[in-house]
């Protein structure tokens, strides 16, 4: 037996070394298959996606559209125009352009615009980004003449820079935040490092698995998706570690040998950890019902992160803790046979107040959440491309300059792909459409012709949107795309996904909770609680985004993604609490006593886990895209609300008020036979 105690942890450690050896070559390739173009996010049946695919059939493949903006506040001089002309000729000489760029002066004489397009890089995303960098290197400011490179290609390049920054800063910041919190929670110079190392191993494994899914099932991998996967590995993984370590510490006081203590700890809390992670995974997988590629890909990626964290925390973490023995807890080493000091904790006080007036506490909390949810009415409208960055990049600055100086014309072409035999007829319909300033035939190939359309309204304004919709309504058999059309398709698809995915998430999570808790009332209570948290979190966002952060719009995917994550993760904590409450009830405790005991014994762990999870999602607020900042803010606020208000006060108060009815219609909802002796409560 003693030999087995020593052999099992070492065997687990050896197995993980073997697994990481196999995963290493694949994990390193994940960045190579990450795609962050708008067309990589859109569904396959969207008009703008069809345009992008058909453009690949044209000579040279997909075109990179850029705009060079030369300007001087006091007015352009002859030397300025000569400088601009020389730089544009150099660009044309160094790169294969689809046409000869012509300068278009503004009416006030301050600005000169050159439209530059190239299909030289074809469909190679990395080479398209290099093209933008090369042109920016050539188009330089000189002697007071300012130059900006904008257009769809430049916006894509600037977005890629932000997503590239996620790989390093996001990981380092997440690790640092989790490390600081673990040090504060454990108050040990060593213990905090073990869960952190295990989470890092799980993250590396998840990268290898994600690459395998991409190669096997063509799973869409985005920068945002891999970032969320990393956050879930560290956030959810650390939560599971907190629960396991807490239970292991208890068992070390009761059981002499660490191996036996860990077996007892996993036997007690393992089912709750598995159930909660399974619920999170199931909720995230509901995103497979989404049309948007980025949403559909984020579901499996998040699931991979959660499951890799679960496996690592249930195997590698226990093995390391057993091998290190009791000394890993130094200086607060749990001594065998000792009893921890009994202190009146914050959660005991909160439970007492909830237990005295449960209905009043429940009503007050519900009113507070409802009032906060009203703030969602103040959320700004859909986020425009020009407002998508936290710090304005060169591409957006160029776009705003053009909108200000050329208000009568769009600088962003609308692409119409039409069958080659209908080219002339399509051109006539396009030029006759209201809101179209000009149109000309582009390339022809593969049986299709590209018609480049210039609208008379600035990009992503109501007038341009109406023009695009008119073109789509009148052009039968043709496709209308381009940067502005892509944004329209994104917004429509987000709206569709929210209507479809939200009910699926609610139904699937509810069914899982019914099976786990063997009750109907308790699952309904938990689901209602997390939905209320979601509404309140969006409401706080509505009160903060415009006035405090200065955001001009709301990412159209915020509602759906925040809902999925908050429901899945919120129910995760609910399972911890209700599982303990059920165990206390099975042990013979009265309903009110079971609820208060569950809060007192699990409140500290849930609070620590909530702080870690909120902090990891808050890391997204340090990224350069407004969509990520908004998502991180709403989820972090939601987790904190869920941890310190809903789980502590509202769920506990509702459980006390409902009594045995919380377990209806299961057998626990009925009063026990007075002749049956009560059993000792089972600790979890």
């Amino acid at each position: 037996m003693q030999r087995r105690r020593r052999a099992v942890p070492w065997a687990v450690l050896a197995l993980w070394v073997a697994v990481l050896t196999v995963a290493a070559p694949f994990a390193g390739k994940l960045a190579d298959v990450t795609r962050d173009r708008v067309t990589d996010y859109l569904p396959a049946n969207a008009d703008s996606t069809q345009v992008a695919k058909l453009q690949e059939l044209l000579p040279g493949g997909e075109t990179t559209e850029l705009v060079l903006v030369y300007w001087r506040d006091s007015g352009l001089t002859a030397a300025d125009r000569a400088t601009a002309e020389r730089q544009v000729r150099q660009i044309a000489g160094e790169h294969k352009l689809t046409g000869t760029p012509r300068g278009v002066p503004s009416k006030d004489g301050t600005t000169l615009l050159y439209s530059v397009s190239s299909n030289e890089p074809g469909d190679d995303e990395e080479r398209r980004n290099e093209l933008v960098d090369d042109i920016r290197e050539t188009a330089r400011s000189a002697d007071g003449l300012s130059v900006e490179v904008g257009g769809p290609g430049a916006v894509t390049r600037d977005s890629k820079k932000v997503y590239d920054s996620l790989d390093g800063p996001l990981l380092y910041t997440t690790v640092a935040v989790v490390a600081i919190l673990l040090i504060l929670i454990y108050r040990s110079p060593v213990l905090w490092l073990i869960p952190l190392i295990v989470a890092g191993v799980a993250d590396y494994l998840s990268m290898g698995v994600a690459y395998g899914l991409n190669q096997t099932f063509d799973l869409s991998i985005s920068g945002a998706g891999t970032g969320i996967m990393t956050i879930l590995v560290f956030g959810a993984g650390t939560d599971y570690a907190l629960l396991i370590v807490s239970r292991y510490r208890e068992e070390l006081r009761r059981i002499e040998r660490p191996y036996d203590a860990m077996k007892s700890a996993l036997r007690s809390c393992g089912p709750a950890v598995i159930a909660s992670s399974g619920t999170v995974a199931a909720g995230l997988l509901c995103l497979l019902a989404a049309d948007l590629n980025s949403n559909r890909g984020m579901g499996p990626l998040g699931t991979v992160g959660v499951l890799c964290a679960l496996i690592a925390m249930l195997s590698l973490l226990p093995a390391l803790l057993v091998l290190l023995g009791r000394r890993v807890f130094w200086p607060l080493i749990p001594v065998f046979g000792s009893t921890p000091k009994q202190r009146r904790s914050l959660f005991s006080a909160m439970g007492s107040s909830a237990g005295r007036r449960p209905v009043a506490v429940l009503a007050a909390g519900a009113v507070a959440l409802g009032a906060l949810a009203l703030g969602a009415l103040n959320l700004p409208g859909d986020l425009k491309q020009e407002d998508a960055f936290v710090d304005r990049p060169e591409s957006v600055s160029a776009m705003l300059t053009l909108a200000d100086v050329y208000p009568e014309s769009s600088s962003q072409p609308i692409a119409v792909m039409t069958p080659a035999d209908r080219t002339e007829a399509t051109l006539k319909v396009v030029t006759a459409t209201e809101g179209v300033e000009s149109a000309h035939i582009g390339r022809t190939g593969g049986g299709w012709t590209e018609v480049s359309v210039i609208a008379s309204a600035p990009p992503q304004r109501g007038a341009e949107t109406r023009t695009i919709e008119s073109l789509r309504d009148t052009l039968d058999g043709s496709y209308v795309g381009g940067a502005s059309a892509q944004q329209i398709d994104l917004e429509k698809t987000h709206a569709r996904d929210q209507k479809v995915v939200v009910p699926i998430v609610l139904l699937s999570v509810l069914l899982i909770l019914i099976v786990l808790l063997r009750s109907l009332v308790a699952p309904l209570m938990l689901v209602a609680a997390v939905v209320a948290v979601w509404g309140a979190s969006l409401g706080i966002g509505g009160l903060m985004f415009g006035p405090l952060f200065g955001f001009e719009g709301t990412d159209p995917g915020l509602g759906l993604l925040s809902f999925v994550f908050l429901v899945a993760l919120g129910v995760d904590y609910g399972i911890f609490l209700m599982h303990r409450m059920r165990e206390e009830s099975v042990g013979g405790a009265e309903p009110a006593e079971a609820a208060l005991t569950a809060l007192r014994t699990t409140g500290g762990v849930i609070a620590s886990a909530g702080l870690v999870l909120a902090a990891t999602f808050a890391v997204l607020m340090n990224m350069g895209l407004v969509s990520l900042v908004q998502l991180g803010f709403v989820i972090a606020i939601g987790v904190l609300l869920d941890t310190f208000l809903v789980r502590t006060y509202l769920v506990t108060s509702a459980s006390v008020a409902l009594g045995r009815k919380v377990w209806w219609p299961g057998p626990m909802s009925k009063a026990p036979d007075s002749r049956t002796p009560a059993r000792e409560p089972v600790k979890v």
Side-chain angles (χ1 to χ4, degrees):
M1 181 63 72
Q2 182 67 22
R3 184 178 300 174
R4 181 184 177 188
R5 292 190 184 102
R6 294 176 179 175
V8 171
W10 285 111
V12 171
L13 197 59
L15 178 62
W16 269 99
V17 171
V19 168
L20 291 180
T21 302
V22 174
F26 303 108
K29 296 179 181 179
L30 184 62
D32 298 336
V33 297
T34 301
R35 297 289 180 267
D36 289 305
R37 295 179 302 171
V38 176
T39 49
D40 295 317
Y41 283 44
L42 289 168
N45 60 353
D47 253 33
S48 50
T49 307
Q50 295 299 320
V51 167
K53 289 182 177 180
L54 291 173
Q55 284 176 331
E56 296 174 4
L57 303 176
L58 301 178
E62 188 174 346
T63 300
T64 301
E65 303 282 353
L66 299 172
V67 177
L68 275 62
V69 184
Y70 293 86
W71 56 276
R72 186 190 291 270
D73 288 337
S74 59
L76 294 172
T77 65
D80 292 338
R81 295 187 180 89
T83 298
E85 185 66 27
R86 183 176 66 254
Q87 291 182 356
V88 172
R89 282 201 308 268
Q90 182 180 345
I91 291 170
E94 294 174 350
H95 302 281
K96 182 180 178 182
L97 305 184
T98 58
T100 302
R102 293 180 301 168
V104 180
S106 63
K107 292 181 178 179
D108 61 6
T110 62
T111 309
L112 190 61
L113 159 69
Y114 286 89
S115 293
V116 176
S117 62
S118 172
N119 52 29
E120 177 184 79
D123 306 323
D124 189 323
E125 182 178 1
E126 184 175 349
R127 290 185 61 201
R128 284 197 299 270
N129 290 329
E130 291 175 355
L131 170 69
V132 177
D133 292 339
D134 289 344
I135 290 178
R136 281 177 168 170
E137 183 67 23
T138 303
R140 291 183 173 184
S141 302
D143 300 326
L145 174 65
S146 299
V147 186
E148 295 171 333
V149 178
V155 173
T156 300
R157 176 57 180 143
D158 290 336
S159 298
K160 180 62 175 174
K161 288 181 180 178
V162 174
Y163 282 116
D164 287 344
S165 72
L166 292 179
D167 293 337
L170 179 65
L171 176 60
Y172 304 146
T173 308
T174 302
V175 170
V177 167
V178 173
I180 292 171
L181 289 174
L182 287 177
I183 291 172
L184 294 174
I185 291 168
Y186 286 138
R187 292 170 290 169
S188 167
V190 179
L191 182 58
W192 65 272
L193 191 58
I194 309 305
L196 200 62
I197 291 174
V198 175
V201 169
D203 185 48
Y204 197 67
L205 175 62
S206 69
M207 293 168 63
V209 175
Y211 178 80
L213 290 176
N214 172 267
Q215 296 300 298
T216 306
F217 301 105
D218 196 28
L219 177 68
S220 177
I221 306 289
S222 66
T226 56
I228 292 294
M229 182 176 71
T230 294
I231 284 176
L232 283 173
V233 168
F234 280 91
T238 304
D239 285 0
Y240 304 148
L242 287 168
L243 194 65
I244 293 169
V245 172
S246 174
R247 183 60 184 170
Y248 177 52
R249 189 196 294 266
E250 284 185 40
E251 296 300 327
L252 282 173
R253 292 192 174 95
R254 194 173 60 87
I255 301 174
E256 183 176 4
R257 299 184 184 277
Y259 179 85
D260 296 329
M262 181 58 74
K263 280 182 60 178
S264 178
L266 292 178
R267 191 181 300 116
S268 298
C269 66
V273 172
I274 293 173
S276 60
S277 61
T279 306
V280 174
L284 294 177
L285 283 177
C286 293
L287 283 171
L288 287 171
D291 255 0
L292 207 63
N293 285 336
S294 57
N295 287 348
R296 192 165 60 246
M298 194 175 290
L301 283 178
T303 301
V304 166
V306 169
L307 294 183
C308 285
L310 171 70
I311 294 170
M313 294 303 170
L314 286 180
S315 58
L316 182 58
L317 175 67
L320 291 175
L321 290 175
V322 169
L323 289 173
L324 292 171
R326 296 175 184 271
R327 60 184 177 273
V328 75
F329 289 93
W330 185 86
L332 304 175
I333 298 176
V335 179
F336 172 60
S338 65
T339 302
K341 293 181 179 179
Q342 297 295 327
R343 300 175 181 175
R344 182 170 173 78
S345 67
L346 170 65
F347 296 97
S348 296
M350 297 174 81
S352 298
S353 63
R356 284 194 298 269
R357 294 185 175 181
V359 176
V361 170
L362 186 61
V367 170
L369 290 176
L372 289 173
L374 293 176
L377 300 175
N378 196 48
L379 284 169
D382 286 334
L383 193 67
K384 297 183 177 64
Q385 195 177 55
E386 65 197 53
D387 302 317
F389 298 86
V390 175
D391 297 318
R392 183 177 296 169
E394 181 181 343
S395 57
V396 172
S397 180
M399 185 188 305
L400 295 176
T401 298
L402 293 175
D404 184 54
V405 180
Y406 298 86
E408 74 286 349
S409 176
S410 174
S411 59
Q412 196 161 270
I414 301 168
V416 176
M417 296 298 299
T418 188
D421 57 358
R422 300 188 197 171
T423 301
E424 293 300 328
T426 297
L427 190 61
K428 289 181 181 178
V429 173
V430 169
T431 53
T433 301
E434 183 179 355
V436 172
E437 181 178 288
S438 64
H440 65 273
I441 297 174
R443 300 168 293 165
T444 298
W448 293 85
T449 297
E450 180 182 27
V451 178
S452 184
V453 181
I454 299 297
S456 58
Q460 296 182 35
R461 297 296 188 271
E464 189 204 37
T465 300
R466 288 190 292 272
T467 300
I468 293 172
E469 297 289 4
S470 296
L471 289 172
R472 286 178 168 176
D473 291 339
T474 55
L475 293 175
D476 188 26
S478 300
Y479 300 100
V480 180
S484 296
Q486 290 167 0
Q487 290 299 120
I488 294 172
D489 290 336
L490 277 174
E491 293 169 10
K492 286 184 176 179
T493 310
H494 274 302
R496 177 267 172 198
D497 285 351
Q498 186 161 321
K499 293 177 182 177
V500 172
V501 176
V502 165
I504 295 176
V505 171
L506 285 176
L507 182 60
S508 62
V509 169
L510 182 61
L511 291 176
I512 292 172
L513 288 176
I514 290 173
V515 173
L516 289 176
L517 300 177
R518 284 164 280 179
S519 164
L520 181 60
V521 174
L524 286 172
M525 178 178 67
L526 291 179
V527 170
V530 292
V531 171
V533 166
W534 171 67
S537 303
L538 280 181
I540 295 174
L543 298 175
M544 297 289 189
F545 288 162
L548 184 63
F549 293 104
F551 295 153
E552 298 294 332
T554 304
D555 179 61
L558 176 64
L560 173 62
L561 292 180
S562 62
F563 179 85
V564 171
F565 284 111
L566 283 177
V567 168
L569 296 171
V571 167
D572 191 30
Y573 293 148
I575 290 175
F576 291 160
L577 183 67
M578 298 302 292
H579 184 269
R580 182 57 186 260
M581 192 185 303
R582 181 179 178 83
E583 292 293 341
E584 292 293 330
S585 298
V586 169
E590 289 299 316
E593 179 189 353
L596 298 179
T597 301
L599 176 61
R600 184 178 64 253
T601 53
T602 65
V605 176
I606 291 177
S608 300
L611 284 173
V612 170
L613 191 63
T616 52
F617 271 99
V619 169
L620 288 175
M621 296 175 62
N622 196 38
M623 299 299 108
L625 291 177
V626 170
S627 59
L628 295 180
V629 175
Q630 291 179 339
L631 183 64
F633 178 84
V634 169
I635 294 179
I637 289 294
V639 170
L640 292 176
L641 280 176
D642 190 69
T643 302
F644 293 102
L645 174 62
V646 173
R647 298 293 149 228
T648 49
Y649 271 124
L650 303 192
V651 171
T652 302
S653 298
S655 300
V656 171
L658 289 170
R660 298 188 184 280
K661 294 178 182 177
V662 76
W663 304 113
W664 185 88
M668 288 177 56
S669 62
K670 301 176 177 63
D673 191 335
S674 59
R675 293 170 295 180
T676 303
R679 288 177 289 172
E680 290 295 322
V682 181
K683 293 184 178 180
V684 178

